[in-house]
Amino acid sequence: MSSSQLAATLQQQLQYIQKSRPNLAGRLVRVVGLTLEATGCTAAIGQTCHVETASGQLFAEVVGFANDRIFLMPKDDVSGVVPGAKVTPLNDFKGVPLTMALLGRVIDGAGKPLDGKGPILSQEFGGSKKPPINPLQRQPIHAPLDVGVRAINSIITVGKGQRMGLFAGSGVGKSVLLGMMTRGTAADVIVVGLVGERGREVKEFIDEILGEEGRKRSVVVAAPADVSPLMRLKGCETAVQVAEYFREQGLDVLLLLDSITRYAQAQREIALAVGEPPATKGYPPSVFAKLPALVERAGNGAAGQGSITAFYTVLSEGDDLQDPIADASRAILDGHIVLSRQLADSGHFPAIDIEKSISRVMPAVTSMEHQKLARAVKQLYASYQQSKDLISIGAYVKGADPQLDAAVTLMPKIRGFLQQEMKEVVPYDESLTQLDKLLPAHLGR
């Protein structure tokens, strides 16, 4: 029997069990940490169950099973759960509402509104994960996306449908950079996933960084640090699901996911709670299986669909770019932008280190002239950085290296070019014009 026939047979058996014993209630037999264990009911992985509590009700999702026991992870606080509580699988549980009415709204990982503007009415719900797009049916990346940030538009050009990593430690301005892109992007729709952040930062991002104008074409999915790991996990997946919906409507979507590291940490909490063995630095193998599955859902759609250009922030612990999540993410993304703490400490914002940053699709979406100019700026910047100590102590002798001479002369202009005010928007064409004027005629041509 082939794998597809076996899968079909198992699906038929599961459907038979669910029909013959619809919503068969089980009982809660054990609670350890945030993991609930129940017996007596049949539920599939990913299915939502209703758990009765002393104070009302609780929704939980099946994340594993062992023999006749199923493991559930709660979507809400577990207070009020009592021994022997009734556990009922829900076959008609509605997922995330998918509608154009999501624009301007703030929702949680389950799709419930958080902004106090009333329910979101929809006839379509995203209850289950969609099958991956056939890679041969995806449209190629052939056009640049304007993000309104001069350093990215000119030196690290991003294409429509590209997946980029934003690597940064804490406090170097990644949220501000995301806000700059939301204000300046030429994308039709912006989907922002704020996962594992402080509640204060969520409100601050929505009110101050995103602003009233930016909210009109945006959807914000918020799953702060104080929610359950399941809801943090769902926060990332819901943001991608909403972006997929708008892509299917033929729109160009900018997906900003902050952060993919919190997604990995949430999956680690869940996996370890149900008994999966830890591997690299405590991360179980399922984490490294889920990361590419999440990332590959972004990108260009099939013919007639739009695109999802995604920026995933990656928190580098101690500014270590060899962190397991940072290393795994860099391998599956189409490029990375590195934010430097040294630049941030010196007041250089956005603190983009162009020497360590790269866009792998830039050659496919830019002209040869543009690539030469960008390469020349990176070479001058790298040359100066490599000799920075000699220059600072006065050991550099002018005339010994013509390229270093040019770097020393042009560095003030290059630094000014790479810096940008938080509320300043520099369109793509203007970025290229300023790049062309940055270098003398004999350089980069």
Side-chain angles (χ1 to χ4, degrees):
M1 182 181 293
S2 66
S3 58
S4 60
Q5 291 174 329
L6 178 60
T9 302
L10 292 174
Q11 181 66 23
Q12 290 174 358
Q13 291 176 351
L14 177 60
Q15 290 176 352
Y16 173 77
I17 293 172
Q18 291 178 338
K19 288 180 180 178
S20 60
R21 297 189 295 172
N23 295 338
L24 181 63
R27 292 292 172 182
L28 202 61
V29 295
R30 191 166 183 253
V31 177
V32 179
L34 291 177
T35 308
L36 312 180
E37 297 182 19
T39 59
C41 56
T42 302
I45 297 290
Q47 189 172 358
T48 299
C49 294
H50 172 270
V51 181
E52 290 184 354
T53 67
S55 56
Q57 61 182 4
L58 169 72
F59 291 104
E61 184 174 302
V62 180
V63 294
F65 59 86
N67 297 324
D68 62 337
R69 293 193 177 196
I70 61 172
F71 302 132
L72 303 106
M73 189 64 63
K75 297 184 178 182
D76 307 302
D77 186 19
V78 295
S79 60
V81 174
V82 296
K86 186 178 179 181
V87 179
T88 307
L90 302 177
N91 295 327
D92 58 348
F93 185 82
K94 290 184 178 180
V96 180
L98 300 177
T99 169
M100 296 299 290
L102 282 169
L103 292 175
R105 301 301 301 270
V106 182
I107 60 177
D108 66 6
K112 298 176 182 177
L114 296 174
D115 49 15
K117 295 183 178 179
I120 301 173
L121 302 178
S122 176
Q123 295 182 344
E124 182 179 351
F125 294 88
S128 58
K129 181 182 174 183
K130 295 183 179 180
I133 299 177
N134 186 328
L136 299 181
Q137 294 179 350
R138 285 185 184 269
Q139 297 300 301
I141 299 175
H142 54 74
L145 178 70
D146 183 3
V147 295
V149 180
R150 180 169 48 230
I152 298 178
N153 281 342
S154 58
I155 309 298
I156 322 164
T157 309
V158 176
K160 289 182 180 178
Q162 186 173 357
R163 287 79 56 92
M164 290 286 285
L166 186 59
F167 291 75
S170 57
V172 295
K174 66 180 185 308
S175 296
V176 174
L177 180 57
L178 294 180
M180 292 172 68
M181 288 192 280
T182 60
R183 279 189 294 270
T185 184
D188 302 314
V189 175
I190 304 162
V191 178
V192 183
L194 302 176
V195 177
E197 298 292 333
R198 294 180 289 272
R200 176 191 60 79
E201 288 187 330
V202 173
K203 183 171 177 56
E204 183 180 282
F205 185 91
I206 294 170
D207 292 343
E208 299 180 17
I209 297 179
L210 191 59
E212 189 63 34
E213 195 64 30
R215 283 187 64 176
K216 292 179 180 178
R217 57 170 177 159
S218 304
V219 182
V220 178
V221 182
D226 60 343
V227 300
S228 71
L230 178 66
M231 293 305 292
R232 278 180 268 137
L233 195 75
K234 290 294 182 184
C236 287
E237 295 175 352
T238 295
V240 175
Q241 198 170 47
V242 170
E244 287 175 324
Y245 167 77
F246 286 111
R247 179 178 62 187
E248 291 173 357
Q249 312 309 309
L251 301 174
D252 291 325
V253 182
L254 177 64
L255 171 64
L256 306 175
L257 204 51
D258 184 17
S259 72
I260 199 171
T261 305
R262 306 297 190 201
Y263 176 81
Q265 290 173 347
Q267 173 60 22
R268 177 174 63 181
E269 290 180 48
I270 295 173
L272 294 178
V274 298
E276 187 177 352
T280 309
K281 286 194 175 181
Y283 288 100
S286 62
V287 170
F288 301 100
K290 274 185 168 291
L291 284 177
L294 183 77
V295 169
E296 283 298 318
R297 292 170 63 181
N300 286 337
Q305 296 185 352
S307 64
I308 300 176
T309 307
F311 283 83
Y312 304 93
T313 66
V314 182
L315 298 176
S316 305
E317 296 182 8
D319 296 333
D320 179 17
L321 295 180
Q322 304 308 316
D323 174 81
I325 301 304
D327 194 46
S329 301
R330 190 166 49 243
I332 58 179
L333 293 168
D334 301 323
H336 50 271
I337 297 173
V338 178
L339 299 187
S340 165
R341 186 173 299 278
Q342 184 178 4
L343 289 175
D345 291 343
S346 65
H348 181 119
F349 291 102
I352 299 174
D353 188 341
I354 62 170
E355 188 179 7
K356 296 180 180 178
S357 305
I358 189 171
S359 170
R360 293 193 179 110
V361 304
M362 183 175 175
V365 299
T366 57
S367 65
M368 187 60 68
E369 178 72 12
H370 181 180
Q371 294 170 42
K372 288 181 179 178
L373 289 171
R375 192 180 307 118
V377 172
K378 292 189 74 170
Q379 288 172 347
L380 290 172
Y381 185 89
S383 180
Y384 184 88
Q385 292 299 116
Q386 291 166 7
S387 304
K388 187 176 180 180
D389 292 340
L390 292 176
I391 297 170
S392 63
I393 64 174
Y396 162 67
V397 179
K398 187 176 181 180
D401 184 347
Q403 186 178 42
L404 186 55
D405 292 342
V408 173
T409 303
L410 293 171
M411 188 51 61
K413 290 180 63 177
I414 292 175
R415 283 179 179 149
F417 175 81
L418 296 176
Q419 295 182 62
Q420 188 172 327
E421 293 295 328
M422 185 177 74
K423 295 187 178 181
E424 181 186 3
V425 176
V426 183
Y428 181 78
D429 292 337
E430 186 178 338
S431 299
L432 297 192
T433 301
Q434 293 181 18
L435 175 65
D436 187 58
K437 294 178 180 179
L438 179 64
L439 303 179
H442 66 284
L443 292 175
R445 307 299 198 280

